[in-house]
Amino acid sequence: MHIPQSMLHGNICPVTLSVSVIAVGSAIYMGRRSVEQLSINRFAGVSILILILQMLNFPIAHGISGHLIGGVLAASLLGMPLGAL
């Protein structure tokens, strides 16, 4: 992660865990119920493309680097529920 260690407190982690479990579960549910069935090959291809593109970092300022925001690309190519996965 690209955040300082002091930002993660012990009492916040269970809350973020429960929110993320609900979000991923609902994305799986909505992805399975979608009218347009996506092939596994397209899902895997977009996932690999995003993984490769996120390996390219570019400098922003004094020691800070940035990279591609893969979630936006995945959501635009695969749709919202599958892009979240």
Side-chain angles (χ1 to χ4, degrees), residues 58-66:
F58 52 91
I60 296 175
H62 309 289
I64 300 172
S65 66

Side-chain angles (χ1 to χ4, degrees), residues 47-67:
S47 300
I48 290 170
L49 174 71
I50 290 171
L51 175 70
I52 292 170
L53 290 176
Q54 283 187 335
M55 293 296 162
L56 303 172
N57 286 339
F58 52 91
I60 296 175
H62 309 289
I64 300 172
S65 66
H67 54 87

Side-chain angles (χ1 to χ4, degrees), residues 6-76:
S6 62
M7 289 184 71
L8 295 176
H9 299 288
N11 56 356
I12 299 295
C13 292
V15 174
T16 56
L17 174 66
S18 60
V19 169
S20 64
V21 165
I22 291 169
V24 170
S26 64
I28 291 171
Y29 177 74
M30 290 173 19
R32 287 183 160 257
R33 286 198 43 189
S34 69
V35 176
E36 176 185 319
Q37 290 296 323
L38 186 67
S39 72
I40 192 71
N41 293 334
R42 183 173 174 200
F43 185 81
V46 169
S47 300
I48 290 170
L49 174 71
I50 290 171
L51 175 70
I52 292 170
L53 290 176
Q54 283 187 335
M55 293 296 162
L56 303 172
N57 286 339
F58 52 91
I60 296 175
H62 309 289
I64 300 172
S65 66
H67 54 87
L68 173 76
I69 301 173
V72 175
L73 180 61
S76 64

